[in-house]
Amino acid sequence: MLTDWEWLLAGMDRVWAPVATPLGLLLALLVTGHALLNKRDVAACIGWMGLAWVAPVWGALFYFMFGINRVARRARQVRPPRPPRHNVIRLPDYDFTDHLAPLDQAVRRITNRPAEDDNTVDVLCNGDIAYPAMLDAIAAARTSIALSTYIMRDDPVGRRFVAALAEARQRGVEVRILLDGIGSGYFPAISRILRRAALRAALFMHSALPWRMPFLNLRNHKKLLLVDGTVGFTGGMNISAECLLAERPRHPVADTHFRLQGPVVSQLMDAFVRDWSFTTGEELAGQTWFPEPSLAEGDRSVARVIASGPDQDFEKIEMVLLEAIGCANQSIRIMTPYFLPDEQLVTALSLAALRGIDVEIVVPRRSNHRVVDYAMRAHIGPLLDHGVRFWYGRTPFNHSKLMVVDRRWCLIGSANWDMRSLRLNFELNVEVYSRAMADTLEGLMHAQQEDRLRAAELARRNVAARLRDAGLRLLLPYI
């Protein structure tokens, strides 16, 4: 005897069967066509097509939910292309004559920006040094302040910045503040404090509407402070009391920030202006925001801004990384809080090591995202096998993002070595051609090296740990 449920299912099957075959065929054809036209990865394309033909209805449903890259498509729709601004006075481009000349040529074409000479770049380690320098610059501002940050906490450090910005506004300085709508909290208390201080602040890609939830993957991860259009600060540091190591916070975060002066500050301002215009509709222009570029004093460096995001700037930072790795003929030094790059970068680093390049990578023993730590351990086997050396960094957790090639070329900024930073976030890095800067950054990375991460350590993990790590690695595009 059939139960009531079995009779119901049998009846549904009789009703659905005549429709399922033509509907399933149509759905499988639609998924196949869309995947062929839009999936660049061959394995992913074949996988989705196979699922659609084996289980047409369920396969099409899963493809619609998880297989379509709405992030990149939506980003291109909401951020239409616009050419970068140019300095009021054009300076001669730097002439490259060494083996890194092809790198300059490639990055020029990737970014549509020149590498500009006569900049100074100062290294600021941790909030204990960086925050006073930033607050001093705000206190000295005369015309304009532009601040963009991923995280700004409602804590003593955040409120100190709010007070300094409010005091600058009262002096007649034009102030604009852009916070990420996710990084600073979906309903950030700091934004209310900024509004109460009568400061012009906005949240990037912020919406409480459920159908706009894809914006969760469109994060503005940039860290910028620009004062009078002549002094800029950028790097990996957010605005939070956890970066003040001298005050021994509960969860300390070491980091590296940079102060820049010279013509490259106009390129930094251009990046801020684009984001501000997109978020608020207000266009910032004129001498207040783009004064005539000033030549920096002291040791001068060649520098250029590289902005990246899932819009028209798609994968630009990753393309620069690939080119820099390919141009290296001596050494590559990398420090990153999260290391989950895609197969292109893994292959490029492996090939560099195989051709005799000295490749060293510093990662935290334990970051503030344990899932990323687990996934990394399932991801770096090929690199270790090919001669790339990994080092655990010293405590506390270090959030710095640094790269040096051939003790000559440096990359600093906000992007991590993971697919979220390189494909889903809006990021900003600066390349700097400077032997002095390269030596400084290599010294910082060398000082962080505590213990070597070896293949034998990964092999000693028990089966449960290896399964956990390998499973989490499948989330690589999303974590």
Side-chain angles (χ1 to χ4, degrees):
M1 293 291 292
L2 296 177
T3 65
D4 291 342
W5 276 107
E6 288 172 332
W7 276 108
L8 178 61
L9 292 174
M12 291 177 62
D13 184 63
R14 287 192 296 271
V15 173
W16 181 251
V19 183
T21 299
L23 177 61
L25 178 63
L26 176 62
L27 290 173
L29 287 171
L30 288 174
V31 170
T32 298
H34 192 277
L36 287 172
L37 292 175
N38 294 280
K39 290 296 175 187
R40 295 164 55 189
D41 185 88
V42 174
C45 183
I46 293 173
W48 282 115
M49 288 192 302
L51 180 62
W53 285 101
V54 170
V57 176
W58 287 106
L61 178 62
F62 279 112
Y63 182 76
F64 176 78
M65 293 173 62
F66 304 110
I68 299 175
N69 188 351
R70 294 179 180 81
V71 171
R73 185 180 65 185
R74 182 61 178 165
R76 293 187 185 103
Q77 290 173 349
V78 299
R79 285 173 61 100
R82 68 186 265 182
R85 296 175 181 268
H86 296 290
N87 294 340
V88 178
I89 296 178
R90 296 296 302 138
L91 299 173
D93 298 341
Y94 186 79
D95 182 26
F96 291 86
T97 57
D98 61 10
H99 71 284
L100 295 178
L103 175 58
D104 164 63
Q105 182 179 14
V107 180
R108 178 191 300 265
R109 292 180 177 179
I110 291 169
T111 64
N112 193 30
R113 290 187 173 101
E116 296 186 295
D117 203 352
D118 295 316
N119 304 283
T120 61
V121 185
D122 300 315
V123 182
L124 309 173
C125 292
N126 304 320
D128 306 276
I129 296 175
Y131 292 156
M134 296 165 73
L135 291 167
D136 286 346
I138 292 172
R142 294 173 296 173
T143 58
S144 65
I145 298 172
L147 173 64
S148 176
T149 186
Y150 181 62
I151 294 174
M152 187 174 185
R153 303 282 190 206
D154 177 17
D155 61 19
V157 170
R159 290 190 286 272
R160 200 177 307 161
F161 272 84
V162 172
L165 293 165
E167 197 276 332
R169 186 197 64 80
Q170 292 170 2
R171 296 196 311 268
V173 177
E174 292 286 336
V175 179
R176 302 293 186 274
I177 303 162
L178 185 60
L179 306 179
D180 183 73
I182 300 298
S184 291
Y186 209 69
F187 300 102
I190 196 69
S191 67
R192 296 192 293 273
I193 295 173
L194 290 167
R195 286 195 296 270
R196 285 200 296 268
L199 291 165
R200 294 284 299 276
L203 294 175
F204 185 87
M205 289 290 200
H206 188 270
S207 175
L209 302 177
W211 54 88
R212 296 174 72 90
M213 290 301 282
F215 284 178
L216 289 173
N217 277 327
L218 297 177
R219 305 179 187 178
N220 190 337
H221 198 238
K222 302 170 185 174
K223 289 89 174 177
L224 285 170
L225 173 64
L226 307 167
V227 177
D228 293 340
T230 60
V231 179
F233 296 83
T234 193
M237 198 175 306
N238 294 296
I239 298 176
S240 169
E242 63 189 8
C243 295
L244 289 177
L245 302 189
E247 298 187 7
R248 300 182 180 276
R250 183 177 180 183
H251 300 290
V253 176
D255 214 327
T256 310
H257 225 51
F258 301 86
R259 175 174 49 212
L260 300 94
Q261 293 178 273
V264 76
V265 177
S266 292
Q267 295 188 20
L268 295 171
M269 183 64 79
D270 174 61
F272 176 86
V273 165
R274 290 190 67 247
D275 291 342
W276 181 261
S277 174
F278 161 71
T279 304
T280 68
E282 181 188 16
E283 292 286 345
L284 304 178
Q287 291 290 316
T288 299
W289 303 98
F290 291 92
E292 295 181 0
S294 58
L295 304 184
E297 298 179 357
D299 292 333
R300 296 181 180 179
S301 304
V302 178
R304 169 170 35 210
V305 166
I306 307 163
S308 183
D311 54 356
Q312 67 272 12
D313 290 331
F314 189 57
E315 296 182 357
K316 286 187 175 180
I317 291 178
E318 182 172 11
M319 293 174 69
V320 171
L321 294 176
L322 289 167
E323 182 65 19
I325 294 167
C327 287
N329 65 12
Q330 296 174 7
S331 63
I332 299 171
R333 302 285 185 264
I334 297 166
M335 184 170 179
T336 178
Y338 318 111
F339 188 81
L340 279 176
D342 62 15
E343 289 302 318
Q344 291 186 96
L345 284 169
V346 170
T347 301
L349 288 168
S350 296
L351 289 172
L354 288 171
R355 70 174 188 269
I357 307 301
D358 184 14
V359 183
E360 291 191 332
I361 301 173
V362 182
V363 295
R365 184 184 299 275
R366 179 167 184 165
S367 75
N368 57 349
H369 293 294
R370 291 296 285 164
V371 170
V372 177
D373 298 342
Y374 295 142
M376 182 196 71
R377 286 163 174 75
H379 195 60
I380 63 175
L383 292 166
L384 292 169
D385 292 341
H386 294 139
V388 175
R389 297 196 302 279
F390 277 82
W391 294 86
Y392 285 125
R394 300 181 184 278
T395 55
F397 163 59
N398 199 305
H399 192 249
S400 303
K401 307 98 166 37
L402 310 172
M403 181 179 183
V404 177
V405 172
D406 291 348
R407 301 184 66 183
R408 174 79 171 86
W409 181 86
C410 312
L411 189 68
I412 59 177
S414 66
N416 302 308
W417 280 69
D418 59 30
M419 289 179 63
R420 169 167 292 284
S421 271
L422 299 177
R423 294 192 176 184
L424 298 180
N425 288 348
F426 294 95
E427 304 278 1
L428 185 140
N429 279 23
V430 180
E431 61 166 354
V432 181
Y433 292 81
S434 166
R435 292 192 184 277
M437 172 65 67
D439 288 343
T440 299
L441 296 186
E442 283 205 5
L444 289 175
M445 286 187 271
H446 181 73
Q448 275 292 310
Q449 295 175 1
E450 186 173 45
D451 295 317
R452 182 93 172 264
L453 195 170
R454 299 180 185 273
E457 175 187 336
L458 300 181
R460 287 195 297 269
R461 293 173 300 162
N462 59 45
V463 174
R466 291 203 299 270
L467 286 172
R468 174 201 62 198
D469 298 349
L472 290 173
R473 180 177 176 269
L474 299 179
L475 301 176
L476 186 149
Y478 309 103
I479 59 178

